[in-house]
Amino acid sequence: MKKRQKTYSQIRRHQKRYHRRRAVSRAFRKVGRWFRWLKYLNPFHYLTLLDRYIIKKFIGTYIYSIILIISISIVFDVNENLAKFTTNHAPLKAIVFDYYANFVPYFANLFSPLFVFIAVIFFTSKLAGNSEIIAMLASGMSFKRLMRPYFISAALIAILNYYLGSFVIPQGTIIRQNFEVLYKNNDKITSASNVQLQVGRGIIAYIQQYDDNTKTGYGFSLDKFEKKKLVSHMTASVIHYDTISESRFHWRARNYKIRTLKGLREEIKSGAEIDTTVMMEPMDLVFSKGQQETFTSPELLQYISKQQERGSQNVVQYEVEYHKRIAMSFASFILTVIGASLSSRKRKGGMGLYLGIGLALSFAYILLQTISATFAINAGTPAMLAEWIPNILYVFIAYFCWRQAPN
Protein backbone atom coordinates (compact mmCIF):
# COMPACT_ATOMS: atom_id res chain seq x y z
CA MET A 1 0.00 0.00 0.00
CA LYS A 2 2.84 2.40 0.89
CA LYS A 3 4.61 1.53 -2.37
CA ARG A 4 1.49 2.45 -4.37
CA GLN A 5 1.13 5.78 -2.50
CA LYS A 6 4.78 6.61 -3.20
CA THR A 7 4.37 5.85 -6.86
CA TYR A 8 1.25 8.00 -7.03
CA SER A 9 3.02 10.95 -5.36
CA GLN A 10 5.88 10.63 -7.82
CA ILE A 11 3.43 10.73 -10.72
CA ARG A 12 1.83 13.86 -9.30
CA ARG A 13 5.23 15.56 -8.97
CA HIS A 14 6.11 14.64 -12.55
CA GLN A 15 2.78 16.00 -13.77
CA LYS A 16 3.29 19.30 -11.93
CA ARG A 17 6.82 19.56 -13.27
CA TYR A 18 5.59 18.83 -16.79
CA HIS A 19 2.84 21.47 -16.62
CA ARG A 20 5.29 24.00 -15.15
CA ARG A 21 7.74 23.41 -18.03
CA ARG A 22 4.96 23.78 -20.57
CA ALA A 23 3.85 27.06 -19.01
CA VAL A 24 7.41 28.39 -19.08
CA SER A 25 7.83 27.20 -22.68
CA ARG A 26 4.60 28.94 -23.73
CA ALA A 27 5.74 32.13 -22.02
CA PHE A 28 9.11 32.02 -23.81
CA ARG A 29 7.41 31.38 -27.16
CA LYS A 30 5.09 34.32 -26.58
CA VAL A 31 8.01 36.60 -25.68
CA GLY A 32 9.93 35.22 -28.64
CA ARG A 33 7.11 36.21 -31.01
CA TRP A 34 7.26 39.73 -29.63
CA PHE A 35 11.01 40.04 -30.17
CA ARG A 36 11.51 37.89 -33.28
CA TRP A 37 12.24 41.05 -35.27
CA LEU A 38 15.55 41.26 -33.38
CA LYS A 39 16.96 38.52 -35.60
CA TYR A 40 17.07 41.05 -38.42
CA LEU A 41 19.61 43.05 -36.39
CA ASN A 42 22.00 40.11 -36.34
CA PRO A 43 24.49 40.65 -39.20
CA PHE A 44 25.07 36.90 -39.56
CA HIS A 45 21.37 36.51 -40.43
CA TYR A 46 22.14 37.93 -43.89
CA LEU A 47 25.26 35.85 -44.55
CA THR A 48 25.02 32.53 -46.32
CA LEU A 49 27.62 29.80 -46.19
CA LEU A 50 29.09 31.10 -49.46
CA ASP A 51 29.35 34.64 -48.05
CA ARG A 52 31.21 33.43 -44.98
CA TYR A 53 33.52 31.36 -47.19
CA ILE A 54 34.48 34.34 -49.39
CA ILE A 55 34.87 36.70 -46.40
CA LYS A 56 37.14 34.17 -44.71
CA LYS A 57 39.24 33.86 -47.87
CA PHE A 58 39.40 37.64 -48.35
CA ILE A 59 40.41 38.55 -44.80
CA GLY A 60 42.80 35.61 -44.52
CA THR A 61 44.60 36.46 -47.76
CA TYR A 62 44.72 40.16 -46.78
CA ILE A 63 46.39 39.37 -43.45
CA TYR A 64 48.75 36.88 -45.14
CA SER A 65 49.84 39.47 -47.73
CA ILE A 66 50.48 42.04 -44.98
CA ILE A 67 52.62 39.59 -43.02
CA LEU A 68 54.55 38.56 -46.12
CA ILE A 69 55.31 42.03 -47.52
CA ILE A 70 55.92 43.75 -44.18
CA SER A 71 58.31 40.95 -43.18
CA ILE A 72 60.34 41.63 -46.33
CA SER A 73 60.24 45.36 -45.58
CA ILE A 74 61.55 44.77 -42.05
CA VAL A 75 64.46 42.72 -43.41
CA PHE A 76 65.45 45.52 -45.79
CA ASP A 77 64.99 48.18 -43.10
CA VAL A 78 67.15 46.27 -40.61
CA ASN A 79 69.85 45.84 -43.25
CA GLU A 80 69.76 49.57 -44.02
CA ASN A 81 69.69 50.90 -40.45
CA LEU A 82 71.72 48.29 -38.55
CA ALA A 83 74.88 50.40 -38.78
CA LYS A 84 73.06 53.46 -37.39
CA PHE A 85 71.53 51.46 -34.56
CA THR A 86 74.94 50.06 -33.64
CA THR A 87 76.74 53.40 -33.89
CA ASN A 88 74.17 55.19 -31.74
CA HIS A 89 73.96 52.29 -29.23
CA ALA A 90 70.22 51.78 -29.63
CA PRO A 91 68.94 49.25 -27.06
CA LEU A 92 67.26 46.13 -28.42
CA LYS A 93 64.08 46.81 -26.43
CA ALA A 94 63.74 50.27 -28.00
CA ILE A 95 64.40 48.88 -31.49
CA VAL A 96 61.68 46.23 -31.14
CA PHE A 97 58.99 48.03 -29.14
CA ASP A 98 59.56 51.72 -29.94
CA TYR A 99 60.55 51.46 -33.59
CA TYR A 100 59.35 48.26 -35.27
CA ALA A 101 56.21 47.84 -33.15
CA ASN A 102 55.12 51.21 -34.57
CA PHE A 103 56.80 50.78 -37.97
CA VAL A 104 54.64 47.76 -38.87
CA PRO A 105 51.15 49.32 -38.26
CA TYR A 106 52.18 52.57 -39.93
CA PHE A 107 53.32 51.00 -43.22
CA ALA A 108 50.61 48.31 -43.17
CA ASN A 109 47.99 51.05 -43.00
CA LEU A 110 49.81 53.24 -45.52
CA PHE A 111 49.89 50.48 -48.17
CA SER A 112 46.55 48.93 -47.24
CA PRO A 113 45.05 49.58 -50.73
CA LEU A 114 47.92 47.59 -52.22
CA PHE A 115 47.31 44.70 -49.81
CA VAL A 116 43.58 44.73 -50.54
CA PHE A 117 44.24 44.58 -54.28
CA ILE A 118 46.75 41.76 -53.97
CA ALA A 119 44.42 39.78 -51.70
CA VAL A 120 41.45 40.11 -54.06
CA ILE A 121 43.47 39.25 -57.18
CA PHE A 122 45.16 36.29 -55.52
CA PHE A 123 42.25 34.41 -53.97
CA THR A 124 39.67 35.31 -56.68
CA SER A 125 42.01 34.00 -59.40
CA LYS A 126 42.38 30.81 -57.41
CA LEU A 127 38.59 30.47 -57.12
CA ALA A 128 38.25 31.07 -60.87
CA GLY A 129 41.03 28.59 -61.63
CA ASN A 130 39.19 25.91 -59.62
CA SER A 131 35.96 26.69 -61.55
CA GLU A 132 34.25 27.80 -58.34
CA ILE A 133 33.24 31.18 -59.83
CA ILE A 134 31.80 29.37 -62.85
CA ALA A 135 29.75 27.13 -60.56
CA MET A 136 28.43 30.13 -58.62
CA LEU A 137 27.37 31.98 -61.78
CA ALA A 138 25.94 28.81 -63.37
CA SER A 139 23.69 28.31 -60.33
CA GLY A 140 21.91 31.57 -61.14
CA MET A 141 23.93 33.92 -58.93
CA SER A 142 24.66 37.26 -60.53
CA PHE A 143 28.05 38.93 -60.36
CA LYS A 144 26.43 41.73 -58.36
CA ARG A 145 25.29 39.20 -55.72
CA LEU A 146 28.74 37.59 -55.78
CA MET A 147 30.28 40.94 -54.85
CA ARG A 148 28.29 41.26 -51.61
CA PRO A 149 30.81 39.40 -49.39
CA TYR A 150 33.61 41.34 -51.13
CA PHE A 151 32.00 44.63 -50.13
CA ILE A 152 31.42 43.42 -46.58
CA SER A 153 35.10 42.49 -46.27
CA ALA A 154 36.17 45.81 -47.83
CA ALA A 155 33.93 47.67 -45.36
CA LEU A 156 35.51 45.86 -42.40
CA ILE A 157 39.01 46.68 -43.69
CA ALA A 158 38.06 50.31 -44.43
CA ILE A 159 36.64 50.85 -40.93
CA LEU A 160 39.69 49.24 -39.34
CA ASN A 161 42.10 51.32 -41.46
CA TYR A 162 40.29 54.56 -40.67
CA TYR A 163 40.22 53.83 -36.94
CA LEU A 164 43.89 52.86 -36.84
CA GLY A 165 45.01 55.77 -39.02
CA SER A 166 42.92 58.35 -37.17
CA PHE A 167 43.31 57.34 -33.53
CA VAL A 168 45.88 54.60 -32.89
CA ILE A 169 48.79 55.03 -35.31
CA PRO A 170 49.39 58.78 -34.58
CA GLN A 171 50.26 57.91 -30.98
CA GLY A 172 52.77 55.31 -32.14
CA THR A 173 54.18 57.71 -34.73
CA ILE A 174 55.26 60.07 -31.95
CA ILE A 175 57.25 57.25 -30.30
CA ARG A 176 58.74 56.15 -33.63
CA GLN A 177 59.81 59.68 -34.62
CA ASN A 178 61.41 60.28 -31.21
CA PHE A 179 63.36 57.03 -31.67
CA GLU A 180 64.51 58.13 -35.13
CA VAL A 181 65.75 61.45 -33.73
CA LEU A 182 67.75 59.68 -31.01
CA TYR A 183 69.15 56.67 -32.86
CA LYS A 184 68.86 57.38 -36.62
CA ASN A 185 70.23 60.95 -36.55
CA ASN A 186 67.12 62.34 -38.18
CA ASP A 187 67.17 66.11 -37.88
CA LYS A 188 64.28 67.61 -36.00
CA ILE A 189 63.42 71.28 -36.26
CA THR A 190 63.70 72.74 -32.77
CA SER A 191 63.85 76.47 -33.48
CA ALA A 192 62.01 79.18 -35.37
CA SER A 193 62.65 82.82 -36.16
CA ASN A 194 60.45 85.82 -36.90
CA VAL A 195 57.22 84.06 -35.96
CA GLN A 196 54.11 86.20 -36.16
CA LEU A 197 50.61 84.87 -35.59
CA GLN A 198 47.17 85.95 -34.53
CA VAL A 199 46.42 84.48 -31.10
CA GLY A 200 42.99 86.05 -30.72
CA ARG A 201 40.59 88.51 -32.33
CA GLY A 202 42.70 91.60 -32.91
CA ILE A 203 45.67 90.22 -30.91
CA ILE A 204 48.99 89.70 -32.76
CA ALA A 205 51.99 87.97 -31.18
CA TYR A 206 55.55 88.16 -32.50
CA ILE A 207 58.68 86.23 -31.43
CA GLN A 208 62.02 87.09 -32.94
CA GLN A 209 63.70 83.79 -32.02
CA TYR A 210 62.23 80.65 -30.44
CA ASP A 211 64.00 77.54 -29.06
CA ASP A 212 61.74 74.53 -28.67
CA ASN A 213 64.22 72.58 -26.54
CA THR A 214 63.96 75.09 -23.72
CA LYS A 215 60.46 76.34 -24.72
CA THR A 216 61.88 79.87 -24.65
CA GLY A 217 61.31 82.82 -26.98
CA TYR A 218 63.37 85.98 -27.36
CA GLY A 219 62.29 89.41 -28.57
CA PHE A 220 58.58 88.97 -27.78
CA SER A 221 55.83 91.49 -28.47
CA LEU A 222 52.06 91.34 -28.14
CA ASP A 223 49.81 93.93 -29.80
CA LYS A 224 46.09 94.30 -29.18
CA PHE A 225 43.88 96.20 -31.63
CA GLU A 226 40.32 97.43 -31.29
CA LYS A 227 38.61 98.85 -34.38
CA LYS A 228 41.98 98.89 -36.16
CA LYS A 229 43.50 101.04 -33.41
CA LEU A 230 46.35 99.90 -31.18
CA VAL A 231 45.17 99.87 -27.54
CA SER A 232 47.92 97.79 -25.89
CA HIS A 233 51.53 96.97 -26.67
CA MET A 234 53.54 94.52 -24.59
CA THR A 235 57.22 93.68 -25.04
CA ALA A 236 59.49 91.24 -23.22
CA SER A 237 63.09 90.28 -23.78
CA VAL A 238 62.42 86.64 -22.84
CA ILE A 239 59.22 84.61 -22.68
CA HIS A 240 59.12 81.04 -21.36
CA TYR A 241 56.31 78.48 -21.65
CA ASP A 242 55.34 76.97 -18.28
CA THR A 243 55.27 73.23 -18.94
CA ILE A 244 54.33 72.28 -15.35
CA SER A 245 51.32 74.56 -15.13
CA GLU A 246 47.93 72.89 -14.81
CA SER A 247 46.40 75.33 -17.31
CA ARG A 248 47.30 75.69 -20.99
CA PHE A 249 48.71 78.82 -22.66
CA HIS A 250 50.58 79.86 -19.50
CA TRP A 251 53.72 81.91 -20.27
CA ARG A 252 56.22 83.71 -18.06
CA ALA A 253 57.64 87.00 -19.42
CA ARG A 254 60.89 88.55 -18.18
CA ASN A 255 61.96 92.20 -18.48
CA TYR A 256 58.54 93.17 -19.71
CA LYS A 257 56.94 96.50 -20.51
CA ILE A 258 53.23 97.07 -21.11
CA ARG A 259 51.97 100.23 -22.77
CA THR A 260 48.21 100.84 -22.54
CA LEU A 261 46.78 103.54 -24.81
CA LYS A 262 43.59 105.34 -23.71
CA GLY A 263 42.92 108.12 -26.15
CA LEU A 264 45.68 110.71 -25.73
CA ARG A 265 46.86 109.18 -22.46
CA GLU A 266 49.39 106.37 -22.15
CA GLU A 267 50.04 104.12 -19.17
CA ILE A 268 53.34 102.28 -18.91
CA LYS A 269 53.91 99.32 -16.64
CA SER A 270 57.21 97.42 -16.43
CA GLY A 271 58.85 94.81 -14.26
CA ALA A 272 61.32 91.96 -14.02
CA GLU A 273 58.87 89.07 -14.41
CA ILE A 274 55.14 88.49 -14.91
CA ASP A 275 52.88 85.52 -15.52
CA THR A 276 50.56 85.96 -18.49
CA THR A 277 48.17 83.99 -20.64
CA VAL A 278 48.80 84.02 -24.40
CA MET A 279 46.64 81.79 -26.60
CA MET A 280 49.52 79.95 -28.24
CA GLU A 281 51.56 76.84 -27.52
CA PRO A 282 55.03 75.61 -28.56
CA MET A 283 53.46 73.37 -31.22
CA ASP A 284 52.09 76.52 -32.89
CA LEU A 285 55.57 78.01 -33.27
CA VAL A 286 57.68 75.12 -34.63
CA PHE A 287 56.63 72.99 -37.62
CA SER A 288 58.66 69.79 -37.98
CA LYS A 289 58.57 67.33 -40.86
CA GLY A 290 55.86 64.71 -40.42
CA GLN A 291 54.24 66.58 -37.54
CA GLN A 292 50.79 66.18 -39.12
CA GLU A 293 51.09 62.40 -38.80
CA THR A 294 51.26 62.66 -35.00
CA PHE A 295 47.78 64.21 -34.69
CA THR A 296 44.60 62.19 -34.37
CA SER A 297 41.83 63.21 -36.76
CA PRO A 298 39.90 65.28 -34.16
CA GLU A 299 43.15 67.00 -33.19
CA LEU A 300 43.93 67.67 -36.86
CA LEU A 301 40.52 69.23 -37.41
CA GLN A 302 40.89 71.37 -34.29
CA TYR A 303 44.41 72.43 -35.24
CA ILE A 304 43.40 73.34 -38.82
CA SER A 305 40.47 75.40 -37.56
CA LYS A 306 42.65 77.20 -35.02
CA GLN A 307 45.38 78.00 -37.56
CA GLN A 308 42.88 79.25 -40.13
CA GLU A 309 41.37 81.59 -37.56
CA ARG A 310 44.86 82.96 -36.95
CA GLY A 311 45.36 83.55 -40.64
CA SER A 312 48.17 81.00 -40.95
CA GLN A 313 48.84 79.63 -44.44
CA ASN A 314 50.93 76.68 -43.25
CA VAL A 315 48.02 74.25 -42.84
CA VAL A 316 47.84 72.63 -46.29
CA GLN A 317 49.81 69.53 -45.29
CA TYR A 318 47.51 69.09 -42.29
CA GLU A 319 44.43 69.32 -44.50
CA VAL A 320 45.99 66.81 -46.91
CA GLU A 321 46.64 64.38 -44.06
CA TYR A 322 43.09 64.73 -42.75
CA HIS A 323 41.42 64.07 -46.12
CA LYS A 324 43.90 61.33 -47.04
CA ARG A 325 42.75 59.19 -44.12
CA ILE A 326 39.16 59.30 -45.36
CA ALA A 327 39.98 58.87 -49.05
CA MET A 328 42.23 55.85 -48.45
CA SER A 329 39.43 54.09 -46.59
CA PHE A 330 37.10 54.44 -49.59
CA ALA A 331 39.88 53.18 -51.86
CA SER A 332 39.35 49.69 -50.43
CA PHE A 333 35.94 49.48 -52.17
CA ILE A 334 37.20 50.79 -55.50
CA LEU A 335 40.23 48.49 -55.67
CA THR A 336 38.13 45.54 -54.54
CA VAL A 337 35.79 46.02 -57.51
CA ILE A 338 38.72 46.33 -59.94
CA GLY A 339 40.52 43.28 -58.53
CA ALA A 340 37.44 41.04 -58.47
CA SER A 341 36.40 42.09 -61.98
CA LEU A 342 39.86 41.41 -63.44
CA SER A 343 40.41 38.02 -61.82
CA SER A 344 36.92 36.45 -61.76
CA ARG A 345 37.11 35.05 -65.29
CA LYS A 346 38.87 31.69 -65.76
CA ARG A 347 41.76 31.98 -68.18
CA LYS A 348 44.17 29.48 -69.55
CA GLY A 349 47.26 31.56 -68.83
CA GLY A 350 46.61 31.67 -65.07
CA MET A 351 46.65 34.71 -62.85
CA GLY A 352 50.18 35.95 -63.59
CA LEU A 353 49.17 38.59 -66.14
CA TYR A 354 46.31 39.94 -64.04
CA LEU A 355 48.34 39.93 -60.87
CA GLY A 356 50.86 42.09 -62.74
CA ILE A 357 48.09 44.42 -63.94
CA GLY A 358 46.74 44.59 -60.40
CA LEU A 359 50.11 45.49 -58.92
CA ALA A 360 50.65 48.13 -61.62
CA LEU A 361 47.25 49.70 -60.88
CA SER A 362 47.92 49.65 -57.13
CA PHE A 363 51.30 51.31 -57.44
CA ALA A 364 49.82 53.81 -59.91
CA TYR A 365 47.15 54.66 -57.34
CA ILE A 366 49.72 55.26 -54.59
CA LEU A 367 51.91 57.30 -57.00
CA LEU A 368 48.92 59.39 -58.13
CA GLN A 369 47.96 60.03 -54.52
CA THR A 370 51.50 61.23 -53.75
CA ILE A 371 51.55 63.51 -56.82
CA SER A 372 48.14 64.97 -55.90
CA ALA A 373 49.30 65.69 -52.35
CA THR A 374 52.43 67.40 -53.71
CA PHE A 375 50.32 69.60 -55.98
CA ALA A 376 48.09 70.51 -53.03
CA ILE A 377 51.07 71.56 -50.89
CA ASN A 378 53.16 73.33 -53.56
CA ALA A 379 50.68 74.45 -56.23
CA GLY A 380 47.73 75.54 -54.12
CA THR A 381 45.30 72.81 -55.21
CA PRO A 382 42.48 72.36 -52.63
CA ALA A 383 43.49 69.56 -50.27
CA MET A 384 40.15 67.77 -50.39
CA LEU A 385 40.09 67.75 -54.20
CA ALA A 386 43.72 66.64 -54.41
CA GLU A 387 43.17 63.63 -52.16
CA TRP A 388 39.96 62.57 -53.92
CA ILE A 389 41.31 62.87 -57.49
CA PRO A 390 42.81 59.31 -57.44
CA ASN A 391 39.52 57.87 -56.16
CA ILE A 392 37.50 59.75 -58.79
CA LEU A 393 39.74 58.51 -61.63
CA TYR A 394 39.74 54.95 -60.32
CA VAL A 395 35.94 54.95 -60.06
CA PHE A 396 35.83 55.13 -63.88
CA ILE A 397 38.40 52.32 -64.13
CA ALA A 398 36.33 50.25 -61.69
CA TYR A 399 33.17 50.85 -63.74
CA PHE A 400 34.93 49.76 -66.95
CA CYS A 401 36.24 46.58 -65.28
CA TRP A 402 32.78 45.90 -63.80
CA ARG A 403 31.27 46.03 -67.30
CA GLN A 404 33.85 43.49 -68.52
CA ALA A 405 33.28 41.07 -65.63
CA PRO A 406 31.49 37.74 -66.31
CA ASN A 407 27.73 37.63 -65.59
Side-chain angles (χ1 to χ4, degrees):
M1 186 67 181
K2 290 181 179 179
K3 187 174 181 181
R4 288 180 181 177
Q5 289 177 351
K6 185 177 180 182
T7 304
Y8 179 73
S9 62
Q10 288 177 346
I11 292 174
R12 293 293 297 171
R13 283 198 298 271
H14 282 299
Q15 287 178 342
K16 290 179 181 179
R17 202 175 297 129
Y18 171 74
H19 289 300
R20 196 182 302 118
R21 283 200 298 265
R22 286 198 61 185
V24 172
S25 178
R26 283 196 299 269
F28 273 111
R29 283 199 299 269
K30 190 174 181 179
V31 173
R33 284 194 296 270
W34 291 344
F35 294 99
R36 61 188 173 186
W37 57 271
L38 290 174
K39 68 181 180 180
Y40 296 105
L41 300 179
N42 182 11
F44 295 101
H45 174 76
Y46 302 95
L47 298 180
T48 63
L49 181 63
L50 179 62
D51 293 333
R52 290 193 289 269
Y53 174 72
I54 293 178
I55 291 172
K56 181 180 177 182
K57 287 283 187 181
F58 193 148
I59 302 297
T61 310
Y62 173 76
I63 295 174
Y64 174 77
S65 63
I66 288 177
I67 294 174
L68 181 64
I69 297 176
I70 292 297
S71 299
I72 297 173
S73 302
I74 290 175
V75 171
F76 281 102
D77 190 79
V78 169
N79 184 56
E80 180 181 355
N81 296 310
L82 186 60
K84 294 181 181 178
F85 293 158
T86 306
T87 304
N88 295 308
H89 307 288
L92 180 61
K93 182 179 178 181
I95 294 174
V96 174
F97 294 102
D98 292 349
Y99 183 67
Y100 284 109
N102 297 301
F103 170 92
V104 171
Y106 174 79
F107 282 96
N109 195 70
L110 181 64
F111 295 106
S112 181
L114 173 64
F115 299 139
V116 168
F117 210 92
I118 292 174
V120 172
I121 289 280
F122 186 80
F123 88 88
T124 306
S125 297
K126 194 171 182 181
L127 292 179
N130 294 333
S131 301
E132 295 179 65
I133 300 274
I134 294 175
M136 296 175 196
L137 299 177
S139 66
M141 178 184 292
S142 64
F143 186 75
K144 182 179 178 181
R145 170 62 184 85
L146 177 63
M147 288 299 296
R148 188 169 79 177
Y150 284 86
F151 284 129
I152 293 173
S153 303
L156 294 175
I157 293 173
I159 293 171
L160 179 63
N161 288 339
Y162 179 76
Y163 176 76
L164 290 176
S166 299
F167 300 99
V168 178
I169 293 177
Q171 306 299 326
T173 303
I174 297 174
I175 301 173
R176 181 174 58 83
Q177 288 183 357
N178 291 335
F179 176 91
E180 291 175 349
V181 170
L182 288 173
Y183 301 111
K184 289 183 66 176
N185 296 329
N186 283 11
D187 295 332
K188 184 178 181 181
I189 299 175
T190 58
S191 63
S193 59
N194 297 323
V195 180
Q196 183 175 358
L197 68 159
Q198 181 176 326
V199 296
R201 181 178 289 273
I203 304 175
I204 307 297
Y206 172 79
I207 298 178
Q208 185 177 9
Q209 190 69 32
Y210 176 76
D211 184 5
D212 193 54
N213 292 325
T214 59
K215 302 294 187 291
T216 303
Y218 304 92
F220 172 76
S221 67
L222 185 70
D223 296 326
K224 183 177 180 181
F225 295 87
E226 289 183 0
K227 297 180 181 180
K228 299 182 180 180
K229 292 183 179 181
L230 181 66
V231 296
S232 176
H233 177 70
M234 174 185 176
T235 59
S237 60
V238 178
I239 186 169
H240 177 73
Y241 186 71
D242 192 352
T243 56
I244 62 175
S245 175
E246 295 181 358
S247 60
R248 296 171 61 190
F249 314 115
H250 186 237
W251 294 82
R252 184 168 296 153
R254 299 193 185 103
N255 300 324
Y256 71 93
K257 179 184 290 186
I258 302 174
R259 297 172 58 196
T260 305
L261 306 175
K262 297 180 179 179
L264 298 177
R265 292 184 302 170
E266 179 180 8
E267 294 181 2
I268 299 177
K269 180 182 177 182
S270 60
E273 186 171 302
I274 188 175
D275 290 340
T276 183
T277 299
V278 184
M279 301 301 290
M280 64 180 184
E281 296 178 282
M283 60 182 295
D284 300 327
L285 305 174
V286 176
F287 302 95
S288 58
K289 183 180 179 181
Q291 183 178 346
Q292 69 274 10
E293 297 174 352
T294 64
F295 290 98
T296 63
S297 288
E299 290 172 346
L300 267 177
L301 204 58
Q302 182 181 5
Y303 182 82
I304 292 169
S305 177
K306 183 173 67 174
Q307 293 299 106
Q308 287 176 341
E309 289 177 359
R310 292 174 172 175
S312 175
Q313 301 298 320
N314 195 23
V315 295
V316 179
Q317 60 266 37
Y318 296 87
E319 293 177 327
V320 168
E321 178 67 22
Y322 178 78
H323 292 293
K324 183 178 75 173
R325 295 173 182 179
I326 303 174
M328 286 190 66
S329 300
F330 279 94
S332 299
F333 296 97
I334 300 171
L335 296 178
T336 295
V337 173
I338 297 175
S341 302
L342 284 176
S343 57
S344 58
R345 192 184 298 274
K346 185 175 181 179
R347 294 174 176 87
K348 187 176 180 181
M351 69 174 181
L353 175 63
Y354 294 93
L355 182 59
I357 295 174
L359 288 174
L361 287 172
S362 298
F363 283 116
Y365 174 83
I366 296 171
L367 179 62
L368 184 60
Q369 192 176 55
T370 304
I371 293 173
S372 299
T374 304
F375 270 104
I377 295 172
N378 298 324
T381 307
M384 184 176 179
L385 177 63
E387 283 303 319
W388 281 93
I389 282 176
N391 284 355
I392 294 171
L393 293 178
Y394 269 69
V395 162
F396 292 103
I397 298 175
Y399 178 74
F400 174 78
C401 295
W402 177 283
R403 299 286 295 177
Q404 303 300 318
N407 290 295

